[in-house]
Amino acid sequence: MSLDAAMPRATAPAILPGSGGLRGALSDLFWRRPKVLLLLMLLPPVLWLGIVYIGSLFALLAQSFFSIDEFSGLINREFTLKTYGDLFQAANLDIILRTVTMAALVTLASVVVAFPIAYYAARYARGRWKALFYLGIMLPLWSSYLVKIYAWKLILAKEGILTWLFGKLHLQWLLDAWLSLPVVGGNSLSVSFTGTFIVFVYVWLPFMILPVQAALERVPGNLVEASSDLGASPGQTFRNVLFPLALPGIVAGSIFTFSLTLGDYIIPQIIGTSRLFIGQAVYSQQGTAGNIPLAAAFTVVPIVIMGFYLWGAKRMGAFDAL
């Protein structure tokens, strides 16, 4: 028998002795009651979310139930629905309808542009091309928001490169005819509903491409091959296989494009006509006009719209594609 085998070995105690003091007491408490530790870890973000974020929303909601005195211009802090009734005046209702229409059109156009790009990235891009795809999609998001908008203002201006291109292609008459239309036109693309639409689509397009691409990557390739083997045309394969399976990703992307267009006021302020959107109405009512209750009521409108929109998106499984 060897000497090492004959000597007894010292074994570590099964339970380490307590460290003592406040540190040891807290350690024992957290070990015995892990829910206390979880509560302490979640308390700061919950307080921030509950007080700063949700609390400010409730304060905003409370302001919307006040009214403005038409003679003194002071806020009458008595509960009333008069301010919400003001939203149904012709001018205010026109602002709401214009904003919702723009958000819907931007979302539809983003889907049309994003789908082929996302399909190519999901089905054919590999290796370096995949990396270039992500770089090309994400690169515009790294640049300044205002720089992109002012760059588009120069592009869409009457002396801009787009007008010059139409002239070189001898299509200036087509551009002039479009700008002469009553709703979508204007003196130039930079001061028109069309120009606002173009910039909105450009700025929010990456938020549509990425969810659609993620949804298409989860579509098994053998489903598309099976559809073709069964005699389906490319159009039938798209309608019955690809589009239904990619729909959650499309709805997920539309959450971004629709909500961001609803609340944006910088793009219509820089590129567009004098016709207001909801964001501009909120800014002008709480700033220039000093009508904070009406500004709060305008703010509640996109919140309510997005609440119903998110409820419908959840039922369609859109959150699984985020």
Side-chain angles (χ1 to χ4, degrees):
M1 180 181 295
S2 64
L3 182 61
D4 293 339
M7 294 179 63
R9 294 185 178 181
T11 58
I15 300 178
L16 296 176
S19 58
L22 179 61
R23 178 181 177 184
L26 289 176
S27 178
D28 294 341
L29 175 65
F30 294 151
W31 183 78
R32 291 189 179 93
R33 298 184 178 181
K35 291 183 179 180
V36 176
L37 177 60
L38 180 63
L39 177 63
L40 290 177
M41 293 177 63
L42 292 179
L43 190 60
V46 168
L47 287 176
W48 174 267
L49 180 66
I51 296 176
V52 177
Y53 184 72
I54 300 180
S56 62
L57 288 179
F58 275 111
L60 176 69
L61 181 63
Q63 290 279 351
S64 66
F65 289 106
F66 299 153
S67 62
I68 196 81
D69 189 274
E70 297 179 356
F71 296 99
S72 63
L74 300 176
I75 297 177
N76 184 12
R77 300 183 181 276
E78 295 180 358
F79 182 87
T80 179
L81 295 177
K82 177 180 178 299
T83 305
Y84 283 101
D86 293 340
L87 291 177
F88 292 94
Q89 293 179 0
N92 295 331
L93 192 60
D94 183 59
I95 293 173
I96 296 172
L97 293 176
R98 182 182 305 113
T99 307
V100 174
T101 301
M102 175 64 79
L105 291 176
V106 168
T107 300
L108 291 175
S110 298
V111 172
V112 172
V113 176
F115 198 94
I117 300 174
Y119 182 80
Y120 176 82
R123 291 297 174 192
Y124 301 106
R126 296 291 183 272
R128 292 182 178 180
W129 290 109
K130 194 87 162 184
L132 287 175
F133 163 77
Y134 285 114
L135 182 63
I137 297 302
M138 300 299 293
L139 192 61
L141 299 178
W142 299 343
S143 60
S144 171
Y145 178 73
L146 284 175
V147 168
K148 290 185 291 186
I149 297 174
Y150 277 109
W152 270 103
K153 187 174 182 64
L154 294 176
I155 293 172
L156 299 174
K158 184 171 289 187
E159 300 82 11
I161 188 173
L162 200 58
T163 305
W164 172 84
L165 182 61
F166 271 94
K168 288 294 183 180
L169 297 175
H170 304 287
L171 296 175
Q172 186 65 40
W173 60 271
L174 181 61
L175 179 61
D176 293 337
W178 181 263
L179 292 176
S180 64
L181 297 176
V183 177
V184 298
N187 293 330
S188 67
L189 286 173
S190 63
V191 287
S192 66
F193 191 87
T194 303
T196 309
F197 167 79
I198 292 173
V199 178
F200 267 133
V201 173
Y202 167 80
V203 172
W204 306 140
L205 185 60
F207 296 96
M208 177 63 75
I209 294 177
L210 294 177
V212 175
Q213 185 261 345
L216 287 173
E217 281 195 340
R218 290 197 288 267
V219 178
N222 55 9
L223 290 181
V224 180
E225 295 174 0
S227 175
S228 178
D229 293 340
L230 292 173
S233 65
Q236 290 174 323
T237 301
F238 173 77
R239 291 191 300 271
N240 300 317
V241 178
L242 277 178
F243 186 78
L245 294 176
L247 189 58
I250 294 173
V251 178
S254 70
I255 293 173
F256 295 108
T257 57
F258 192 82
S259 62
L260 291 172
T261 306
L262 274 182
D264 193 280
Y265 77 96
I266 297 178
I267 291 177
Q269 186 75 20
I270 298 175
I271 299 176
T273 63
S274 59
R275 295 190 291 269
L276 299 179
F277 287 75
I278 288 179
Q280 293 171 288
V282 172
Y283 180 80
S284 62
Q285 290 295 335
Q286 66 87 28
T288 306
N291 192 344
I292 295 179
L294 185 57
F298 264 119
T299 308
V300 172
V301 172
I303 295 177
V304 172
I305 293 174
M306 286 309 303
F308 284 106
Y309 197 89
L310 291 174
W311 174 78
K314 184 177 183 300
R315 290 178 60 89
M316 299 180 68
F319 294 149
D320 297 333
L322 288 175

